[in-house]
Amino acid sequence: MKGRGWAAVAAMACALAGIAPVAAQGWRHVGAVDGVEVQPNGAVVASGPARLRVTAVGEGVYRVTLAPDGRFDETPSWAMAPGIPQAKVGVADSADAVRVASGDVVAVIRKQPLRVEFADRSGQVLLADSEQMPMAWADSPHGPRVRSWKALPADAHFYGLGDKAGPLDRRGRAFTMWNSDAYGWQGTSDPLYKSIPFFIGLRAGTAYGLFFDNTSRSSFDFGKESEEYFSFGAEGGALDYYFIAGPEPARVLERYTALTGRTPLPPMWALGFQQSRYSYNPEGKVREIAAQLREHRIPSDAIYLDIDYQQGYAPFTVDRKQFPHFEQMIADLRAQGLRTVLITDLHIKHAPGTGYAPFDSGMAADAFIRNPDGSLYIGPVWPGDAVFPDFSLARVRDWWGGLYREFSAMGAAGYWNDMNEPSVFNVPGNTMSPDAVHRMDDGSQRDHRAIHNVYGMLNARATYEGLLKLQPQQRPFVLTRAAYAGTQRYAATWTGDNSATWHHLAQSTPNLLSLGLSGMALAGDDVGGFIGSPPPDLLTRWFQLGAFNPVFRNHAATDTRPHEAWVDGPQQEALRREAIELRYRLMPYLYTVAEENTRNGLPIMRPVFLQYPQAQAFYGNDRDFLFGPDLFVAPVSDERLDAHQIVLPPGEWYVFGTSQRQAAQKDPIKLDPRPTAVPLYARAGAIVPMQAVVQHTGEKPAGPLQLQVYLPKAGGECGGSLYQDDGESQAYKGGSLLRVAYACEVGRRGAMVTSHVVHDGFAPWWGDVEVTVYGVGRKPSSLRVDGKAVGDWSYEAEQQTVVIRVPQARRDWKVELKY
C-alpha cells in the first residue's frame, strides 16, 4: 500500500465501523486482481479467495458485490421491485482494468490493487474507491463485517438516508442504520426509526446515487473521520451496493425508485387534512371532535384512533365499554366526510386460554417469532407480554393481512402500523433480542440482527397486501413508523415522536425532504409536535408549514393540551383554517403531483436542487422547498422577530395569486414585518389547476375548475398538467382517468393558453374552466376562444390579470389574448 501500513488502515477501519481497536488485526483488504471472468452483464474478478462481482442491472445502474470467501449470497433482496429491465452491456478486459459499460456510465475495476470507480463517457470520475483503502472485511461471531471507503472530493455534498436528524446535507457527519424507537429525539439523535441506506452525491450540478442493500446494522461516515474519504459498511451481511447514475439528481431518483419501487397512487382523502390524538376516547369524544371540525369549518378527511380504542391495548380488538357503537360511529363519521384510521400495532397480546383470536389463530398457524431454543419470543409492549409475527414468511404475512377482515367490513379506511421497529419495553436496546429466530420461505433461518431493519417494512407489506386481498378495488392506506428501502411500495410514513418546539418545526423540513429523496414521497410529521404543548404562534406556524407536507396530520400525546385548530381563539383559528383551505384549493395540483410520483419517483416536497441542480446556493438550504414542480415555499419556521429573508430559485417567480413578479438574484428579499402566512411563489411559466374550497375531498367543489396561468417572458417555457380519477378505486389502472396538458405562449402581440386532453376516460366534477392569466401588462384589445371573439371576460389593470371562462372545457381549447 501507498504511504500507510496495514495496521494503521485496519485501526482506522475499525474506528469507522465502530469496533474496538483491539480487533484491528482482524481486518482484511482486497489486494491485486489475480483472475477475471467476463459475464454477459458484467464481470467477476478474483483477489485470493475473495470474489468481486460488478454487473449492470439497468441503464446507468451497476451492482457491486463482494464475497470474501468466494461464495455470493443469492438471497433475494427485500428492497428490489420486480421487473427491473435488463441493460445492454459491453465488457473489456485489459492489463490494468476491466471496463463494464452501460448507457452513459462505465464501471472500471482497477487491478493493482482491486478498486472500483465509475466514470461518465467523457472520463469524468463520479465515484471511486479510496486508493489507500480498498474494500475490506473482518470476521465476527455473526458473520463478516464489511466496509468500503470512497474518495471524498472537497466540493461533494450528500443527501438522503431517510429521516435523519440535522441538516439536509449529510457532509461531515456519521450515521447508523438501526431502526429505533427514538421517543424524544433531537437534532443530534441517531439512529431514528428508519433505515434507508441510500444517498445522493452531488457536485456542481452532477449527481449519482448509492444504495447499500444490507439489512444488518450499518453505518455511513460522510467525512467525519477524514476529509479525504467517506465510507459505509455493516456489522453483518454482504458488501452489496448499487451505483446509480444521473447526471441530474432527479434522474438518480427516477432510477432508484425504478429499482426499489414507487409509491402507489394514494386515495385522495389521504392527501387531505387528518386529525389525530393519543387518544380520542371514548366514542363521545370522537364524535365531538368530528362535530367541531365541521362546526368550525376546518376542512378535514380523517380522524385517527390511537391505542385506547382497544380492549386492554390488544390489537384488533374494540373496547365496547368505551365504544359501544363502534361500527355505527365509523359509518356516521363517513357520512360527515371523515374516514377512520385505526392503529394496529404488531405486538399480539400473549393471552393463551382467553379466547383472544389473533393470538389463538397465530399459534395455530405457527406465526410467531421464537427463541433459538424453540420457545416463543415474548416481550412487553402496550398490552403487556406480547408475541411478534414472523413477517419474513409469506404465509405469516397472509395470516396477518387476514386479521383486517372485521375492521374492513366495519368500514375503517386506513391503518396505522406503529411500534414496528420493533419496539419492546424494558429490555436492552428497547427492541427484540438479537438472537431471536426468523424463518425464511426457503427453509433457512436468520437471527434478528439480519432482519431487524426490514421488519417494519415487512409489517407494512403484510398490511398492504392483506388489504388488497380483502378489498381489491380499493386503494389501501397504510401509515408505518419503521421502514427500509422499498417501503414506499406499501405505506406512507411520518417522523415519529417529535416535540412541540421551534427546533422541531424547523427540523421537519429537512427530514421530510430527505425522505422524499430516499423514495418515500408520502411523508409527514406530527403537526404541533407529539411531545409537549406548543404556544399558539408555534402551533399556527406548524399548521401553515404542514399544509405543504405530503401527509398533513395533526397529532399529540395524551398529556398535552389540545392541538386542534380552534384551541387558541378566533385569530389563530382563522390563520390555521386559511392554511388548510389553501391546501384544499390546491388539491387538483397536489393530486396531479402525487400521480406523477407514481410514474417517475419524484417527490411531492422537493429540495430546490432536485429541479435546479446548478443552484448551489440551495445545496445547504434546510428551510425552503418546492411543492411539486411549480410552487416555491419559504415558510416562517422560527420565533425570531427579524425580517424574513427569501432567496428565490433560478428564473422568474410570481407571488402566488398575484402578478407581482421578481427574478432570482443574489440579494435576498426581506419581508418586514414577518408575513402572517407562508410566503408562496409560482414559477413564471406555470399553469396551476385549483378548485373552490371544500370541507372534504368527497365534496363536489362549487363552480368551475380554476386555472392560474403565470405568464413567462416572451419565448419562455410554459405549461402544466391535470390528472383526475375517482380518487379511491383501482379503476384508473384500466384507463378510467382524465389527463390534460396545458401550455401557453407569449409573444410581442399577445399570449395564448391551450388545453389538450391526453386521455379522456373519466368524467370530472367540473364542466367549465375559469382561466386567470397573471402578468398581463396592459388590457388586451380582444380575446378569442377557439378562434372566435368573445366579450365575456374581464381585465383588472391594478392586478394585471385577465379572467375568462371556457365553457364545456373537457376538450381541446385555445384562448388568445391580442394587444
Side-chain angles (χ1 to χ4, degrees):
M1 297 192 62
K2 300 178 181 177
R4 187 185 297 269
W6 283 101
V9 174
M12 183 177 301
C14 289
L16 288 168
I19 57 178
V22 68
Q25 66 272 17
W27 280 88
R28 287 175 285 174
H29 295 253
V30 292
V33 171
D34 52 28
V36 176
E37 178 189 343
V38 174
Q39 297 185 334
N41 61 344
V44 175
V45 299
S47 176
R51 297 290 185 273
L52 182 78
R53 184 169 59 195
V54 179
T55 55
V57 295
E59 184 179 340
V61 180
Y62 292 86
R63 183 181 183 184
V64 179
T65 310
L66 176 67
D69 60 359
R71 294 175 295 179
F72 293 102
D73 182 356
E74 305 296 352
T75 303
S77 167
W78 296 112
M80 291 294 108
I84 299 172
Q86 295 299 308
K88 294 181 179 180
V89 183
V91 184
D93 182 13
S94 63
D96 67 327
V98 181
R99 289 170 172 82
V100 182
S102 171
D104 295 330
V105 177
V106 178
V108 182
I109 309 171
R110 301 291 181 189
K111 295 183 176 181
Q112 293 287 345
L114 171 54
R115 307 188 315 277
V116 180
E117 64 186 44
F118 299 92
D120 62 23
R121 289 288 187 174
S122 69
Q124 178 185 358
V125 175
L126 304 171
L127 178 68
D129 283 348
S130 168
E131 291 188 16
Q132 303 301 320
M133 288 178 291
M135 60 194 81
W137 66 95
D139 294 330
S140 78
H142 308 291
R145 300 171 184 257
V146 291
R147 198 155 197 92
S148 176
W149 294 263
K150 304 292 186 183
L152 177 57
D155 59 345
H157 302 265
F158 301 96
Y159 306 95
L161 300 187
D163 63 336
K164 292 296 187 182
L168 184 65
D169 187 352
R170 309 304 188 195
R171 173 102 189 207
R173 290 175 295 148
F175 302 90
T176 297
M177 295 287 156
W178 186 252
N179 291 356
S180 302
D181 182 349
Y183 179 85
W185 63 272
Q186 297 300 321
T188 57
S189 299
D190 187 70
L192 298 181
Y193 303 92
K194 301 168 190 65
S195 296
I196 306 179
F198 166 76
F199 67 86
I200 295 175
L202 179 62
R203 292 180 64 200
T206 298
Y208 68 86
L210 191 148
F211 170 42
F212 179 37
D213 191 6
N214 184 310
T215 62
S216 299
R217 182 190 289 267
S218 61
S219 60
F220 291 77
D221 186 312
F222 293 108
K224 182 178 181 180
E225 177 73 17
S226 170
E227 295 182 355
E228 296 181 0
Y229 52 78
F230 71 94
S231 67
F232 59 91
E235 297 183 5
L239 185 58
D240 185 357
Y241 69 89
Y242 294 79
F243 172 87
I244 304 168
E248 303 84 9
R251 183 68 171 135
V252 172
L253 196 50
E254 183 178 0
R255 284 171 162 160
Y256 168 71
T257 55
L259 279 180
T260 61
R262 296 189 174 127
T263 303
L265 186 62
M268 186 182 291
W269 67 261
L271 298 174
F273 175 62
Q274 305 177 17
Q275 186 63 57
S276 182
R277 184 173 177 84
Y278 168 40
S279 288
Y280 288 135
N281 65 300
E283 181 179 315
K285 184 63 177 181
V286 180
R287 294 179 179 275
E288 175 190 334
I289 292 296
Q292 288 180 302
L293 286 167
R294 296 296 175 241
E295 177 185 341
H296 289 267
R297 298 196 63 75
I298 304 297
S300 46
D301 267 273
I303 290 181
Y304 281 61
L305 298 187
D306 211 319
I307 59 175
D308 288 298
Y309 81 90
Q310 301 166 133
Q311 182 69 46
Y313 301 141
F316 300 99
T317 64
V318 176
D319 184 344
R320 292 294 178 173
K321 291 184 178 179
Q322 291 199 87
F323 293 85
H325 312 291
F326 191 71
E327 296 87 342
Q328 188 61 49
M329 179 195 73
I330 291 175
D332 292 344
L333 292 177
R334 183 68 174 268
Q336 295 174 272
L338 292 165
R339 314 291 175 123
T340 305
V341 180
L342 303 177
I343 199 168
T344 51
D345 290 341
L346 51 71
H347 41 255
I348 298 298
K349 182 178 177 63
H350 181 255
T354 64
Y356 175 42
F359 177 80
D360 292 343
S361 66
M363 288 298 294
D366 188 19
F368 301 125
I369 293 170
R370 295 181 178 271
N371 293 307
D373 64 3
S375 62
L376 281 177
Y377 173 79
I378 300 173
V381 204
W382 291 119
D385 283 349
V387 290
F388 299 80
D390 199 351
F391 291 118
S392 53
L393 289 169
R395 62 175 180 80
V396 174
R397 295 196 296 273
D398 289 343
W399 164 80
W400 172 267
L403 295 179
Y404 288 91
R405 183 170 286 104
E406 290 187 16
F407 283 160
S408 294
M410 293 176 186
Y415 300 95
W416 173 14
N417 292 161
D418 199 0
M419 308 292 287
N420 55 355
E421 291 74 33
S423 179
V424 181
F425 297 162
N426 306 319
V427 296
N430 296 317
T431 194
M432 193 174 294
S433 167
D435 296 318
V437 177
H438 296 260
R439 294 161 290 173
M440 313 294 286
D441 287 328
D442 64 3
S444 63
Q445 296 182 345
R446 302 284 190 278
D447 65 25
H448 188 67
R449 296 174 185 85
I451 299 297
H452 176 87
N453 282 342
V454 79
Y455 189 68
M457 172 188 179
L458 296 178
N459 172 215
R461 175 181 177 178
T463 303
Y464 180 84
E465 292 177 345
L467 296 176
L468 274 181
K469 290 179 181 178
L470 291 169
Q471 297 179 312
Q473 294 306 312
Q474 297 299 306
R475 302 176 208 171
F477 177 72
V478 181
L479 187 72
T480 182
R481 190 167 74 176
Y484 183 70
T487 303
Q488 66 269 11
R489 304 197 298 268
Y490 312 116
T493 193
W494 88 108
T495 62
D497 295 337
N498 59 355
S499 299
T501 65
W502 288 97
H503 164 72
H504 271 269
L505 171 62
Q507 182 67 61
S508 70
T509 294
N511 276 37
L512 296 179
L513 291 176
S514 295
L515 281 164
L517 289 173
S518 305
M520 298 206 69
L522 286 181
D525 70 346
D526 288 345
V527 167
F530 179 74
I531 302 168
S533 302
D537 56 339
L538 172 57
L539 183 56
T540 296
R541 291 298 188 189
W542 220 317
F543 270 98
Q544 292 173 335
L545 176 55
F548 296 99
N549 293 166
V551 175
F552 185 17
R553 183 180 77 142
N554 175 266
H555 184 57
T558 187
D559 58 350
T560 67
R561 76 178 183 91
H563 281 37
E564 292 80 24
W566 53 81
V567 298
D568 295 308
Q571 183 176 1
Q572 299 291 346
E573 179 184 342
L575 292 173
R576 297 165 188 171
R577 182 188 301 106
E578 180 183 9
I580 299 171
E581 287 180 344
L582 176 58
R583 183 182 182 90
Y584 278 79
R585 289 175 57 211
L586 284 167
M587 191 58 68
Y589 173 80
L590 173 56
Y591 194 59
T592 299
V593 175
E595 192 274 337
E596 178 194 8
N597 169 255
T598 70
R599 290 182 289 109
N600 63 17
L602 294 185
I604 296 167
M605 189 175 172
R606 309 172 181 179
V608 169
F609 66 75
L610 189 66
Q611 202 152 316
Y612 302 93
Q614 300 292 340
Q616 297 191 40
F618 287 89
Y619 284 8
N621 189 318
D622 294 323
R623 189 195 70 185
D624 307 328
F625 58 91
L626 296 171
F627 188 61
D630 294 325
L631 300 180
F632 174 65
V633 184
V636 178
S637 56
D638 60 60
E639 72 274 38
R640 295 180 303 171
L641 300 178
D642 307 293
H644 188 63
Q645 300 193 39
I646 300 171
V647 176
L648 293 173
E652 287 194 321
W653 295 82
Y654 286 79
V655 175
F656 181 76
T658 77
S659 292
Q660 300 175 40
R661 179 164 44 181
Q662 185 162 351
Q665 55 189 20
K666 290 185 178 180
D667 295 331
I669 301 168
K670 294 185 178 181
L671 303 180
D672 194 6
R674 308 196 118 196
T676 56
V678 172
L680 181 64
Y681 296 84
R683 178 183 59 82
I687 300 178
V688 181
M690 298 180 63
Q691 66 183 32
V693 171
V694 292
Q695 291 304 296
H696 58 88
T697 56
E699 179 183 336
K700 180 181 177 180
L705 178 73
Q706 302 164 8
L707 282 186
Q708 292 193 353
V709 181
Y710 295 90
L711 293 180
K713 290 180 178 179
E717 293 185 2
C718 180
S721 60
L722 175 71
Y723 173 87
Q724 292 190 321
D725 58 26
D726 65 22
E728 58 182 6
S729 81
Q730 305 283 0
Y732 72 96
K733 294 181 178 178
S736 297
L737 60 93
L738 176 68
R739 196 183 301 279
V740 185
Y742 302 109
C744 77
E745 296 179 10
V746 178
R748 289 184 301 170
R749 297 184 178 181
M752 179 171 61
V753 181
T754 61
S755 169
H756 171 60
V757 177
V758 177
H759 184 93
D760 188 9
F762 174 74
W765 55 266
W766 49 271
D768 298 350
V769 169
E770 182 182 83
V771 182
T772 302
V773 185
Y774 294 97
V776 183
R778 62 183 188 273
K779 184 176 181 179
S781 59
S782 67
L783 197 148
R784 295 176 178 271
V785 175
D786 298 328
K788 297 180 180 180
V790 296
D792 188 16
W793 57 278
S794 64
Y795 175 72
E796 295 292 338
E798 187 174 344
Q799 285 78 32
Q800 296 187 350
T801 59
V802 165
V803 180
I804 184 170
R805 189 161 177 149
V806 178
Q808 300 304 307
R810 187 180 140 201
R811 57 183 173 83
D812 292 1
W813 50 259
K814 178 170 63 176
V815 172
E816 297 173 279
L817 287 70
K818 298 290 187 181
Y819 296 133

